[in-house]
Amino acid sequence: LAKTTQPISMDSYEGQEVNITCSHNNIATNDYITWYQQFPSQGPRFIIQGYKTKVTNEVASLFIPADRKSSTLSLPRVSLSDTAVYYCLVGDAFSSGSARQLTFGSGTQLTVLP
Amino acid sequence: NAGVMQNPRHLVRRRGQEARLRCSPMKGHSHVYWYRQLPEEGLKFMVYLQKENIIDESGMPKERFSAEFPKEGPSILRIQQVVRGDSAAYFCASSPPMASGREADTQYFGPGTRLTVL
């Protein structure tokens, strides 16, 4: 399982764009990159997933360079309710019989200030 | 479509008692995962199950912990003779049956059960 490194914490202000970068130098060919968000006392919530280049959904964008050794989660115009811990995970694409555990690091505590 | 359900949300046990945590996966999902989260830490994988089968229990403590996902009913994580160090949030996640091609399945998490051992 590829190890991920991301900043421990980040502060931002309401209305700003926030970019959280995750390093995963040992990512394997079959690995996908997934980001989860977790509020206190709640389970992690899936945000976005990608394999290469750029992925966008209604919540965020995910930028993955060609070498795939890092990825950046971009949250447009954050609000106070985006204050949470954000986890970057790297794991194998699904294949029959393989272990599919997710490996969570410490995550990035994003604090959005008024 | 209801999400992953876990109950109870909070569970208090005295040392030496048994704790039973239940997880009902999302409709149509046949894979269940259990994770444990200590305060200020990320989630740690415990076990991965499909209906009536344990696929990967590499994260489960060798003693006192067991998990099942019967043909009918919820998945159960059982902790026997609990100790104070078992106090944590236990999260269950589920994912749909195997997809074809290179899709990576997403795991959807429940709200967790917070176990406190007195």
Side-chain angles (χ1 to χ4, degrees), chain A residues 32 36 38 41-44 46 49 51 87 94 99-102 104-105, chain B residues 33 35 37 42-43 45 56 58 91 95 98 102 104-107 109-110 114:
Chain A
Y32 276 71
Y36 282 84
Q38 187 179 26
S41 302
Q42 294 187 25
F46 171 85
Q49 183 179 75
Y51 184 80
Y87 294 98
F94 191 100
R100 300 186 60 236
Q101 56 178 279
L102 295 180
F104 286 80
Chain B
Y33 314 80
Y35 294 81
Q37 185 174 35
L43 284 74
F45 168 80
D56 178 6
S58 58
F91 291 98
S95 65
M98 181 174 67
R102 291 179 61 85
D105 285 325
T106 300
Q107 293 183 22
F109 285 81
R114 271 142 197 87

PDB file of all heavy atoms in Angstrom, chain A residues 32 36 38 41-44 46 49 51 87 94 99-102 104-105, chain B residues 33 35 37 42-43 45 56 58 91 95 98 102 104-107 109-110 114:
ATOM      1  N   TYR A  32      -5.694   3.814  -7.321  1.00  0.00           N
ATOM      2  CA  TYR A  32      -6.518   4.997  -7.481  1.00  0.00           C
ATOM      3  C   TYR A  32      -6.275   5.931  -6.297  1.00  0.00           C
ATOM      4  O   TYR A  32      -5.781   5.520  -5.251  1.00  0.00           O
ATOM      5  CB  TYR A  32      -8.002   4.622  -7.519  1.00  0.00           C
ATOM      6  CG  TYR A  32      -8.487   4.187  -8.877  1.00  0.00           C
ATOM      7  CD1 TYR A  32      -8.092   2.965  -9.414  1.00  0.00           C
ATOM      8  CD2 TYR A  32      -9.330   4.989  -9.622  1.00  0.00           C
ATOM      9  CE1 TYR A  32      -8.533   2.558 -10.661  1.00  0.00           C
ATOM     10  CE2 TYR A  32      -9.788   4.600 -10.864  1.00  0.00           C
ATOM     11  CZ  TYR A  32      -9.379   3.377 -11.379  1.00  0.00           C
ATOM     12  OH  TYR A  32      -9.815   2.980 -12.608  1.00  0.00           O
ATOM     13  N   TYR A  36     -11.398  11.599   1.263  1.00  0.00           N
ATOM     14  CA  TYR A  36     -12.536  11.540   2.159  1.00  0.00           C
ATOM     15  C   TYR A  36     -12.519  12.762   3.074  1.00  0.00           C
ATOM     16  O   TYR A  36     -11.465  13.320   3.377  1.00  0.00           O
ATOM     17  CB  TYR A  36     -12.501  10.278   3.040  1.00  0.00           C
ATOM     18  CG  TYR A  36     -12.931   9.004   2.354  1.00  0.00           C
ATOM     19  CD1 TYR A  36     -12.041   8.267   1.586  1.00  0.00           C
ATOM     20  CD2 TYR A  36     -14.233   8.535   2.489  1.00  0.00           C
ATOM     21  CE1 TYR A  36     -12.440   7.089   0.970  1.00  0.00           C
ATOM     22  CE2 TYR A  36     -14.639   7.355   1.881  1.00  0.00           C
ATOM     23  CZ  TYR A  36     -13.733   6.646   1.122  1.00  0.00           C
ATOM     24  OH  TYR A  36     -14.139   5.474   0.515  1.00  0.00           O
ATOM     25  N   GLN A  38     -14.008  14.099   6.897  1.00  0.00           N
ATOM     26  CA  GLN A  38     -14.590  13.617   8.151  1.00  0.00           C
ATOM     27  C   GLN A  38     -14.838  14.770   9.105  1.00  0.00           C
ATOM     28  O   GLN A  38     -13.910  15.505   9.452  1.00  0.00           O
ATOM     29  CB  GLN A  38     -13.699  12.565   8.825  1.00  0.00           C
ATOM     30  CG  GLN A  38     -14.368  11.929  10.045  1.00  0.00           C
ATOM     31  CD  GLN A  38     -13.528  10.861  10.712  1.00  0.00           C
ATOM     32  OE1 GLN A  38     -12.306  10.863  10.639  1.00  0.00           O
ATOM     33  NE2 GLN A  38     -14.194   9.924  11.392  1.00  0.00           N
ATOM     34  N   SER A  41     -17.092  13.274  15.176  1.00  0.00           N
ATOM     35  CA  SER A  41     -18.140  12.338  15.590  1.00  0.00           C
ATOM     36  C   SER A  41     -18.958  11.793  14.422  1.00  0.00           C
ATOM     37  O   SER A  41     -20.093  11.333  14.617  1.00  0.00           O
ATOM     38  CB  SER A  41     -19.095  12.991  16.597  1.00  0.00           C
ATOM     39  OG  SER A  41     -18.381  13.441  17.729  1.00  0.00           O
ATOM     40  N   GLN A  42     -18.396  11.821  13.214  1.00  0.00           N
ATOM     41  CA  GLN A  42     -19.077  11.234  12.055  1.00  0.00           C
ATOM     42  C   GLN A  42     -18.126  10.327  11.303  1.00  0.00           C
ATOM     43  O   GLN A  42     -16.905  10.418  11.451  1.00  0.00           O
ATOM     44  CB  GLN A  42     -19.598  12.328  11.127  1.00  0.00           C
ATOM     45  CG  GLN A  42     -20.689  13.185  11.727  1.00  0.00           C
ATOM     46  CD  GLN A  42     -21.280  14.134  10.693  1.00  0.00           C
ATOM     47  OE1 GLN A  42     -21.232  13.873   9.496  1.00  0.00           O
ATOM     48  NE2 GLN A  42     -21.843  15.235  11.167  1.00  0.00           N
ATOM     49  N   GLY A  43     -18.697   9.464  10.468  1.00  0.00           N
ATOM     50  CA  GLY A  43     -17.872   8.625   9.615  1.00  0.00           C
ATOM     51  C   GLY A  43     -17.332   9.409   8.438  1.00  0.00           C
ATOM     52  O   GLY A  43     -17.880  10.440   8.057  1.00  0.00           O
ATOM     53  N   PRO A  44     -16.234   8.956   7.843  1.00  0.00           N
ATOM     54  CA  PRO A  44     -15.696   9.633   6.661  1.00  0.00           C
ATOM     55  C   PRO A  44     -16.700   9.637   5.521  1.00  0.00           C
ATOM     56  O   PRO A  44     -17.478   8.692   5.355  1.00  0.00           O
ATOM     57  CB  PRO A  44     -14.467   8.784   6.302  1.00  0.00           C
ATOM     58  CG  PRO A  44     -14.095   8.085   7.558  1.00  0.00           C
ATOM     59  CD  PRO A  44     -15.389   7.832   8.258  1.00  0.00           C
ATOM     60  N   PHE A  46     -17.069  10.144   1.358  1.00  0.00           N
ATOM     61  CA  PHE A  46     -16.371  10.167   0.080  1.00  0.00           C
ATOM     62  C   PHE A  46     -16.534  11.522  -0.587  1.00  0.00           C
ATOM     63  O   PHE A  46     -17.633  12.079  -0.641  1.00  0.00           O
ATOM     64  CB  PHE A  46     -16.935   9.063  -0.820  1.00  0.00           C
ATOM     65  CG  PHE A  46     -16.458   9.113  -2.243  1.00  0.00           C
ATOM     66  CD1 PHE A  46     -15.257   8.528  -2.601  1.00  0.00           C
ATOM     67  CD2 PHE A  46     -17.202   9.739  -3.230  1.00  0.00           C
ATOM     68  CE1 PHE A  46     -14.811   8.558  -3.917  1.00  0.00           C
ATOM     69  CE2 PHE A  46     -16.772   9.780  -4.542  1.00  0.00           C
ATOM     70  CZ  PHE A  46     -15.575   9.183  -4.880  1.00  0.00           C
ATOM     71  N   GLN A  49     -12.657  10.814  -6.406  1.00  0.00           N
ATOM     72  CA  GLN A  49     -11.694   9.747  -6.710  1.00  0.00           C
ATOM     73  C   GLN A  49     -11.198   9.919  -8.132  1.00  0.00           C
ATOM     74  O   GLN A  49     -11.972  10.312  -9.020  1.00  0.00           O
ATOM     75  CB  GLN A  49     -12.369   8.395  -6.552  1.00  0.00           C
ATOM     76  CG  GLN A  49     -11.493   7.185  -6.771  1.00  0.00           C
ATOM     77  CD  GLN A  49     -12.295   5.902  -6.547  1.00  0.00           C
ATOM     78  OE1 GLN A  49     -13.106   5.515  -7.368  1.00  0.00           O
ATOM     79  NE2 GLN A  49     -12.071   5.272  -5.407  1.00  0.00           N
ATOM     80  N   TYR A  51      -7.834   8.683 -11.185  1.00  0.00           N
ATOM     81  CA  TYR A  51      -6.670   7.879 -11.543  1.00  0.00           C
ATOM     82  C   TYR A  51      -5.572   8.754 -12.171  1.00  0.00           C
ATOM     83  O   TYR A  51      -4.399   8.628 -11.826  1.00  0.00           O
ATOM     84  CB  TYR A  51      -7.060   6.778 -12.519  1.00  0.00           C
ATOM     85  CG  TYR A  51      -5.938   5.852 -12.871  1.00  0.00           C
ATOM     86  CD1 TYR A  51      -5.563   4.823 -12.006  1.00  0.00           C
ATOM     87  CD2 TYR A  51      -5.237   5.993 -14.075  1.00  0.00           C
ATOM     88  CE1 TYR A  51      -4.519   3.977 -12.315  1.00  0.00           C
ATOM     89  CE2 TYR A  51      -4.196   5.135 -14.392  1.00  0.00           C
ATOM     90  CZ  TYR A  51      -3.848   4.133 -13.510  1.00  0.00           C
ATOM     91  OH  TYR A  51      -2.799   3.292 -13.818  1.00  0.00           O
ATOM     92  N   TYR A  87      -8.799  13.362   4.245  1.00  0.00           N
ATOM     93  CA  TYR A  87      -7.874  12.241   4.107  1.00  0.00           C
ATOM     94  C   TYR A  87      -7.629  11.935   2.633  1.00  0.00           C
ATOM     95  O   TYR A  87      -8.569  11.842   1.843  1.00  0.00           O
ATOM     96  CB  TYR A  87      -8.441  10.981   4.755  1.00  0.00           C
ATOM     97  CG  TYR A  87      -8.596  11.039   6.252  1.00  0.00           C
ATOM     98  CD1 TYR A  87      -9.831  11.329   6.834  1.00  0.00           C
ATOM     99  CD2 TYR A  87      -7.513  10.787   7.094  1.00  0.00           C
ATOM    100  CE1 TYR A  87      -9.974  11.356   8.216  1.00  0.00           C
ATOM    101  CE2 TYR A  87      -7.660  10.813   8.473  1.00  0.00           C
ATOM    102  CZ  TYR A  87      -8.893  11.104   9.027  1.00  0.00           C
ATOM    103  OH  TYR A  87      -9.041  11.139  10.389  1.00  0.00           O
ATOM    104  N   PHE A  94     -10.090  -2.405  -7.715  1.00  0.00           N
ATOM    105  CA  PHE A  94     -10.722  -3.636  -7.275  1.00  0.00           C
ATOM    106  C   PHE A  94     -10.323  -4.787  -8.164  1.00  0.00           C
ATOM    107  O   PHE A  94     -10.356  -4.709  -9.368  1.00  0.00           O
ATOM    108  CB  PHE A  94     -12.240  -3.473  -7.298  1.00  0.00           C
ATOM    109  CG  PHE A  94     -12.962  -4.605  -6.609  1.00  0.00           C
ATOM    110  CD1 PHE A  94     -13.419  -4.449  -5.326  1.00  0.00           C
ATOM    111  CD2 PHE A  94     -13.148  -5.808  -7.240  1.00  0.00           C
ATOM    112  CE1 PHE A  94     -14.067  -5.468  -4.680  1.00  0.00           C
ATOM    113  CE2 PHE A  94     -13.797  -6.850  -6.610  1.00  0.00           C
ATOM    114  CZ  PHE A  94     -14.256  -6.673  -5.328  1.00  0.00           C
ATOM    115  N   ALA A  99      -7.209  -7.972  -1.046  1.00  0.00           N
ATOM    116  CA  ALA A  99      -7.588  -7.217   0.148  1.00  0.00           C
ATOM    117  C   ALA A  99      -7.890  -5.785  -0.253  1.00  0.00           C
ATOM    118  O   ALA A  99      -7.149  -5.199  -1.040  1.00  0.00           O
ATOM    119  CB  ALA A  99      -6.453  -7.265   1.161  1.00  0.00           C
ATOM    120  N   ARG A 100      -8.964  -5.238   0.249  1.00  0.00           N
ATOM    121  CA  ARG A 100      -9.370  -3.913  -0.168  1.00  0.00           C
ATOM    122  C   ARG A 100      -9.450  -2.952   1.002  1.00  0.00           C
ATOM    123  O   ARG A 100     -10.268  -2.060   1.035  1.00  0.00           O
ATOM    124  CB  ARG A 100     -10.709  -4.014  -0.883  1.00  0.00           C
ATOM    125  CG  ARG A 100     -10.638  -4.891  -2.116  1.00  0.00           C
ATOM    126  CD  ARG A 100     -11.924  -4.884  -2.894  1.00  0.00           C
ATOM    127  NE  ARG A 100     -12.244  -3.563  -3.341  1.00  0.00           N
ATOM    128  CZ  ARG A 100     -13.402  -2.957  -3.068  1.00  0.00           C
ATOM    129  NH1 ARG A 100     -14.306  -3.565  -2.326  1.00  0.00           N
ATOM    130  NH2 ARG A 100     -13.643  -1.748  -3.509  1.00  0.00           N
ATOM    131  N   GLN A 101      -8.559  -3.145   1.940  1.00  0.00           N
ATOM    132  CA  GLN A 101      -8.592  -2.244   3.068  1.00  0.00           C
ATOM    133  C   GLN A 101      -8.131  -0.857   2.652  1.00  0.00           C
ATOM    134  O   GLN A 101      -7.264  -0.704   1.814  1.00  0.00           O
ATOM    135  CB  GLN A 101      -7.682  -2.778   4.178  1.00  0.00           C
ATOM    136  CG  GLN A 101      -6.249  -3.009   3.724  1.00  0.00           C
ATOM    137  CD  GLN A 101      -5.374  -3.479   4.859  1.00  0.00           C
ATOM    138  OE1 GLN A 101      -4.922  -2.684   5.650  1.00  0.00           O
ATOM    139  NE2 GLN A 101      -5.173  -4.780   4.963  1.00  0.00           N
ATOM    140  N   LEU A 102      -8.717   0.159   3.255  1.00  0.00           N
ATOM    141  CA  LEU A 102      -8.270   1.527   3.063  1.00  0.00           C
ATOM    142  C   LEU A 102      -7.285   1.877   4.173  1.00  0.00           C
ATOM    143  O   LEU A 102      -7.480   1.499   5.317  1.00  0.00           O
ATOM    144  CB  LEU A 102      -9.470   2.488   3.120  1.00  0.00           C
ATOM    145  CG  LEU A 102     -10.516   2.343   2.010  1.00  0.00           C
ATOM    146  CD1 LEU A 102     -11.622   3.349   2.213  1.00  0.00           C
ATOM    147  CD2 LEU A 102      -9.872   2.509   0.646  1.00  0.00           C
ATOM    148  N   PHE A 104      -5.781   4.884   6.138  1.00  0.00           N
ATOM    149  CA  PHE A 104      -5.928   6.299   6.454  1.00  0.00           C
ATOM    150  C   PHE A 104      -4.678   6.792   7.163  1.00  0.00           C
ATOM    151  O   PHE A 104      -4.221   6.183   8.118  1.00  0.00           O
ATOM    152  CB  PHE A 104      -7.134   6.530   7.369  1.00  0.00           C
ATOM    153  CG  PHE A 104      -8.470   6.401   6.698  1.00  0.00           C
ATOM    154  CD1 PHE A 104      -9.021   5.154   6.457  1.00  0.00           C
ATOM    155  CD2 PHE A 104      -9.175   7.525   6.309  1.00  0.00           C
ATOM    156  CE1 PHE A 104     -10.261   5.034   5.842  1.00  0.00           C
ATOM    157  CE2 PHE A 104     -10.416   7.416   5.697  1.00  0.00           C
ATOM    158  CZ  PHE A 104     -10.951   6.169   5.460  1.00  0.00           C
ATOM    159  N   GLY A 105      -4.149   7.928   6.703  1.00  0.00           N
ATOM    160  CA  GLY A 105      -3.083   8.597   7.445  1.00  0.00           C
ATOM    161  C   GLY A 105      -3.711   9.487   8.501  1.00  0.00           C
ATOM    162  O   GLY A 105      -4.847   9.268   8.926  1.00  0.00           O
TER     163      GLY A 105
ATOM    164  N   TYR B  33     -16.753  -3.607   5.728  1.00  0.00           N
ATOM    165  CA  TYR B  33     -15.437  -3.368   6.328  1.00  0.00           C
ATOM    166  C   TYR B  33     -15.646  -2.750   7.708  1.00  0.00           C
ATOM    167  O   TYR B  33     -16.546  -1.938   7.891  1.00  0.00           O
ATOM    168  CB  TYR B  33     -14.619  -2.385   5.475  1.00  0.00           C
ATOM    169  CG  TYR B  33     -14.641  -2.675   3.996  1.00  0.00           C
ATOM    170  CD1 TYR B  33     -15.729  -2.290   3.221  1.00  0.00           C
ATOM    171  CD2 TYR B  33     -13.576  -3.325   3.370  1.00  0.00           C
ATOM    172  CE1 TYR B  33     -15.769  -2.564   1.866  1.00  0.00           C
ATOM    173  CE2 TYR B  33     -13.610  -3.582   2.012  1.00  0.00           C
ATOM    174  CZ  TYR B  33     -14.708  -3.206   1.271  1.00  0.00           C
ATOM    175  OH  TYR B  33     -14.746  -3.478  -0.068  1.00  0.00           O
ATOM    176  N   TYR B  35     -13.573  -0.570  10.733  1.00  0.00           N
ATOM    177  CA  TYR B  35     -12.403   0.243  11.056  1.00  0.00           C
ATOM    178  C   TYR B  35     -12.531   0.729  12.492  1.00  0.00           C
ATOM    179  O   TYR B  35     -13.635   0.906  13.015  1.00  0.00           O
ATOM    180  CB  TYR B  35     -12.303   1.462  10.133  1.00  0.00           C
ATOM    181  CG  TYR B  35     -12.043   1.157   8.683  1.00  0.00           C
ATOM    182  CD1 TYR B  35     -13.073   0.779   7.826  1.00  0.00           C
ATOM    183  CD2 TYR B  35     -10.753   1.250   8.151  1.00  0.00           C
ATOM    184  CE1 TYR B  35     -12.844   0.498   6.495  1.00  0.00           C
ATOM    185  CE2 TYR B  35     -10.511   0.979   6.815  1.00  0.00           C
ATOM    186  CZ  TYR B  35     -11.563   0.602   6.002  1.00  0.00           C
ATOM    187  OH  TYR B  35     -11.320   0.322   4.688  1.00  0.00           O
ATOM    188  N   GLN B  37     -11.142   3.851  15.172  1.00  0.00           N
ATOM    189  CA  GLN B  37     -10.499   5.157  15.217  1.00  0.00           C
ATOM    190  C   GLN B  37     -10.324   5.578  16.667  1.00  0.00           C
ATOM    191  O   GLN B  37     -11.301   5.735  17.406  1.00  0.00           O
ATOM    192  CB  GLN B  37     -11.313   6.217  14.471  1.00  0.00           C
ATOM    193  CG  GLN B  37     -10.616   7.568  14.389  1.00  0.00           C
ATOM    194  CD  GLN B  37     -11.369   8.554  13.513  1.00  0.00           C
ATOM    195  OE1 GLN B  37     -12.593   8.569  13.469  1.00  0.00           O
ATOM    196  NE2 GLN B  37     -10.615   9.391  12.802  1.00  0.00           N
ATOM    197  N   GLY B  42      -6.214   8.667  12.585  1.00  0.00           N
ATOM    198  CA  GLY B  42      -6.965   8.200  11.427  1.00  0.00           C
ATOM    199  C   GLY B  42      -7.566   6.836  11.696  1.00  0.00           C
ATOM    200  O   GLY B  42      -7.290   6.189  12.694  1.00  0.00           O
ATOM    201  N   LEU B  43      -8.432   6.393  10.782  1.00  0.00           N
ATOM    202  CA  LEU B  43      -9.061   5.094  10.926  1.00  0.00           C
ATOM    203  C   LEU B  43      -8.070   3.979  10.625  1.00  0.00           C
ATOM    204  O   LEU B  43      -7.244   4.089   9.730  1.00  0.00           O
ATOM    205  CB  LEU B  43     -10.247   4.971   9.964  1.00  0.00           C
ATOM    206  CG  LEU B  43     -11.532   5.706  10.349  1.00  0.00           C
ATOM    207  CD1 LEU B  43     -11.408   7.194  10.151  1.00  0.00           C
ATOM    208  CD2 LEU B  43     -12.703   5.147   9.554  1.00  0.00           C
ATOM    209  N   PHE B  45      -7.865  -0.074   9.637  1.00  0.00           N
ATOM    210  CA  PHE B  45      -8.608  -1.217   9.123  1.00  0.00           C
ATOM    211  C   PHE B  45      -8.567  -2.374  10.106  1.00  0.00           C
ATOM    212  O   PHE B  45      -7.541  -2.663  10.713  1.00  0.00           O
ATOM    213  CB  PHE B  45      -8.002  -1.639   7.789  1.00  0.00           C
ATOM    214  CG  PHE B  45      -8.488  -2.967   7.274  1.00  0.00           C
ATOM    215  CD1 PHE B  45      -9.704  -3.069   6.624  1.00  0.00           C
ATOM    216  CD2 PHE B  45      -7.725  -4.106   7.459  1.00  0.00           C
ATOM    217  CE1 PHE B  45     -10.146  -4.295   6.147  1.00  0.00           C
ATOM    218  CE2 PHE B  45      -8.148  -5.333   6.987  1.00  0.00           C
ATOM    219  CZ  PHE B  45      -9.366  -5.424   6.319  1.00  0.00           C
ATOM    220  N   ASP B  56     -10.472 -10.701   4.711  1.00  0.00           N
ATOM    221  CA  ASP B  56      -9.197 -10.194   5.212  1.00  0.00           C
ATOM    222  C   ASP B  56      -9.401  -9.735   6.649  1.00  0.00           C
ATOM    223  O   ASP B  56     -10.176  -8.823   6.887  1.00  0.00           O
ATOM    224  CB  ASP B  56      -8.718  -9.032   4.332  1.00  0.00           C
ATOM    225  CG  ASP B  56      -7.413  -8.396   4.812  1.00  0.00           C
ATOM    226  OD1 ASP B  56      -6.801  -8.922   5.758  1.00  0.00           O
ATOM    227  OD2 ASP B  56      -7.006  -7.374   4.219  1.00  0.00           O
ATOM    228  N   SER B  58      -6.651  -9.097   8.653  1.00  0.00           N
ATOM    229  CA  SER B  58      -5.275  -8.794   9.050  1.00  0.00           C
ATOM    230  C   SER B  58      -5.191  -7.684  10.092  1.00  0.00           C
ATOM    231  O   SER B  58      -4.196  -7.569  10.789  1.00  0.00           O
ATOM    232  CB  SER B  58      -4.445  -8.415   7.818  1.00  0.00           C
ATOM    233  OG  SER B  58      -5.011  -7.301   7.158  1.00  0.00           O
ATOM    234  N   PHE B  91     -16.110   2.170  13.039  1.00  0.00           N
ATOM    235  CA  PHE B  91     -16.845   2.516  11.840  1.00  0.00           C
ATOM    236  C   PHE B  91     -16.974   1.305  10.933  1.00  0.00           C
ATOM    237  O   PHE B  91     -16.036   0.532  10.765  1.00  0.00           O
ATOM    238  CB  PHE B  91     -16.145   3.643  11.079  1.00  0.00           C
ATOM    239  CG  PHE B  91     -16.174   4.965  11.775  1.00  0.00           C
ATOM    240  CD1 PHE B  91     -15.084   5.377  12.525  1.00  0.00           C
ATOM    241  CD2 PHE B  91     -17.288   5.787  11.685  1.00  0.00           C
ATOM    242  CE1 PHE B  91     -15.105   6.602  13.186  1.00  0.00           C
ATOM    243  CE2 PHE B  91     -17.319   7.004  12.344  1.00  0.00           C
ATOM    244  CZ  PHE B  91     -16.228   7.418  13.089  1.00  0.00           C
ATOM    245  N   SER B  95     -19.427  -1.563   0.366  1.00  0.00           N
ATOM    246  CA  SER B  95     -19.223  -1.261  -1.043  1.00  0.00           C
ATOM    247  C   SER B  95     -20.005  -2.275  -1.872  1.00  0.00           C
ATOM    248  O   SER B  95     -20.339  -3.359  -1.389  1.00  0.00           O
ATOM    249  CB  SER B  95     -17.737  -1.288  -1.405  1.00  0.00           C
ATOM    250  OG  SER B  95     -17.193  -2.571  -1.264  1.00  0.00           O
ATOM    251  N   MET B  98     -18.416  -6.675  -6.962  1.00  0.00           N
ATOM    252  CA  MET B  98     -17.264  -6.411  -7.805  1.00  0.00           C
ATOM    253  C   MET B  98     -17.675  -5.750  -9.110  1.00  0.00           C
ATOM    254  O   MET B  98     -18.599  -6.172  -9.783  1.00  0.00           O
ATOM    255  CB  MET B  98     -16.534  -7.720  -8.112  1.00  0.00           C
ATOM    256  CG  MET B  98     -15.301  -7.555  -8.968  1.00  0.00           C
ATOM    257  SD  MET B  98     -14.387  -9.089  -9.145  1.00  0.00           S
ATOM    258  CE  MET B  98     -15.515 -10.063 -10.094  1.00  0.00           C
ATOM    259  N   ARG B 102     -11.574  -1.337 -14.807  1.00  0.00           N
ATOM    260  CA  ARG B 102     -10.620  -0.711 -13.895  1.00  0.00           C
ATOM    261  C   ARG B 102     -11.297   0.251 -12.926  1.00  0.00           C
ATOM    262  O   ARG B 102     -10.677   1.100 -12.363  1.00  0.00           O
ATOM    263  CB  ARG B 102      -9.557   0.025 -14.697  1.00  0.00           C
ATOM    264  CG  ARG B 102      -8.629  -0.908 -15.452  1.00  0.00           C
ATOM    265  CD  ARG B 102      -7.619  -0.103 -16.237  1.00  0.00           C
ATOM    266  NE  ARG B 102      -6.783   0.723 -15.380  1.00  0.00           N
ATOM    267  CZ  ARG B 102      -5.690   0.296 -14.787  1.00  0.00           C
ATOM    268  NH1 ARG B 102      -5.295  -0.942 -14.939  1.00  0.00           N
ATOM    269  NH2 ARG B 102      -4.977   1.102 -14.040  1.00  0.00           N
ATOM    270  N   ALA B 104     -12.559   1.611  -9.540  1.00  0.00           N
ATOM    271  CA  ALA B 104     -12.230   1.387  -8.136  1.00  0.00           C
ATOM    272  C   ALA B 104     -13.471   1.662  -7.315  1.00  0.00           C
ATOM    273  O   ALA B 104     -14.019   2.743  -7.351  1.00  0.00           O
ATOM    274  CB  ALA B 104     -11.097   2.315  -7.701  1.00  0.00           C
ATOM    275  N   ASP B 105     -13.910   0.653  -6.587  1.00  0.00           N
ATOM    276  CA  ASP B 105     -15.119   0.829  -5.814  1.00  0.00           C
ATOM    277  C   ASP B 105     -14.898   1.753  -4.634  1.00  0.00           C
ATOM    278  O   ASP B 105     -13.833   1.791  -4.047  1.00  0.00           O
ATOM    279  CB  ASP B 105     -15.618  -0.527  -5.304  1.00  0.00           C
ATOM    280  CG  ASP B 105     -16.261  -1.320  -6.427  1.00  0.00           C
ATOM    281  OD1 ASP B 105     -16.891  -0.702  -7.291  1.00  0.00           O
ATOM    282  OD2 ASP B 105     -16.116  -2.538  -6.425  1.00  0.00           O
ATOM    283  N   THR B 106     -15.933   2.489  -4.305  1.00  0.00           N
ATOM    284  CA  THR B 106     -15.897   3.417  -3.188  1.00  0.00           C
ATOM    285  C   THR B 106     -16.493   2.760  -1.961  1.00  0.00           C
ATOM    286  O   THR B 106     -17.481   2.026  -2.058  1.00  0.00           O
ATOM    287  CB  THR B 106     -16.706   4.673  -3.543  1.00  0.00           C
ATOM    288  OG1 THR B 106     -16.131   5.272  -4.698  1.00  0.00           O
ATOM    289  CG2 THR B 106     -16.707   5.662  -2.396  1.00  0.00           C
ATOM    290  N   GLN B 107     -15.907   3.017  -0.820  1.00  0.00           N
ATOM    291  CA  GLN B 107     -16.458   2.541   0.434  1.00  0.00           C
ATOM    292  C   GLN B 107     -17.272   3.663   1.070  1.00  0.00           C
ATOM    293  O   GLN B 107     -16.804   4.799   1.160  1.00  0.00           O
ATOM    294  CB  GLN B 107     -15.346   2.082   1.386  1.00  0.00           C
ATOM    295  CG  GLN B 107     -14.619   0.850   0.878  1.00  0.00           C
ATOM    296  CD  GLN B 107     -13.570   0.331   1.832  1.00  0.00           C
ATOM    297  OE1 GLN B 107     -13.598   0.602   3.031  1.00  0.00           O
ATOM    298  NE2 GLN B 107     -12.627  -0.441   1.307  1.00  0.00           N
ATOM    299  N   PHE B 109     -19.236   4.978   4.441  1.00  0.00           N
ATOM    300  CA  PHE B 109     -19.117   4.767   5.873  1.00  0.00           C
ATOM    301  C   PHE B 109     -20.409   5.079   6.616  1.00  0.00           C
ATOM    302  O   PHE B 109     -21.165   5.976   6.242  1.00  0.00           O
ATOM    303  CB  PHE B 109     -17.995   5.648   6.447  1.00  0.00           C
ATOM    304  CG  PHE B 109     -16.629   5.136   6.120  1.00  0.00           C
ATOM    305  CD1 PHE B 109     -16.046   5.394   4.888  1.00  0.00           C
ATOM    306  CD2 PHE B 109     -15.923   4.380   7.039  1.00  0.00           C
ATOM    307  CE1 PHE B 109     -14.782   4.902   4.576  1.00  0.00           C
ATOM    308  CE2 PHE B 109     -14.662   3.893   6.749  1.00  0.00           C
ATOM    309  CZ  PHE B 109     -14.096   4.157   5.513  1.00  0.00           C
ATOM    310  N   GLY B 110     -20.604   4.341   7.698  1.00  0.00           N
ATOM    311  CA  GLY B 110     -21.690   4.618   8.620  1.00  0.00           C
ATOM    312  C   GLY B 110     -21.286   5.672   9.636  1.00  0.00           C
ATOM    313  O   GLY B 110     -20.143   6.153   9.619  1.00  0.00           O
ATOM    314  N   ARG B 114     -19.590   4.608  19.140  1.00  0.00           N
ATOM    315  CA  ARG B 114     -18.581   5.025  20.104  1.00  0.00           C
ATOM    316  C   ARG B 114     -18.653   4.143  21.338  1.00  0.00           C
ATOM    317  O   ARG B 114     -19.626   4.192  22.075  1.00  0.00           O
ATOM    318  CB  ARG B 114     -18.787   6.497  20.470  1.00  0.00           C
ATOM    319  CG  ARG B 114     -18.023   7.390  19.531  1.00  0.00           C
ATOM    320  CD  ARG B 114     -18.757   8.666  19.168  1.00  0.00           C
ATOM    321  NE  ARG B 114     -18.161   9.259  17.974  1.00  0.00           N
ATOM    322  CZ  ARG B 114     -18.531   8.930  16.733  1.00  0.00           C
ATOM    323  NH1 ARG B 114     -19.517   8.090  16.525  1.00  0.00           N
ATOM    324  NH2 ARG B 114     -17.935   9.466  15.714  1.00  0.00           N
TER     325      ARG B 114
END
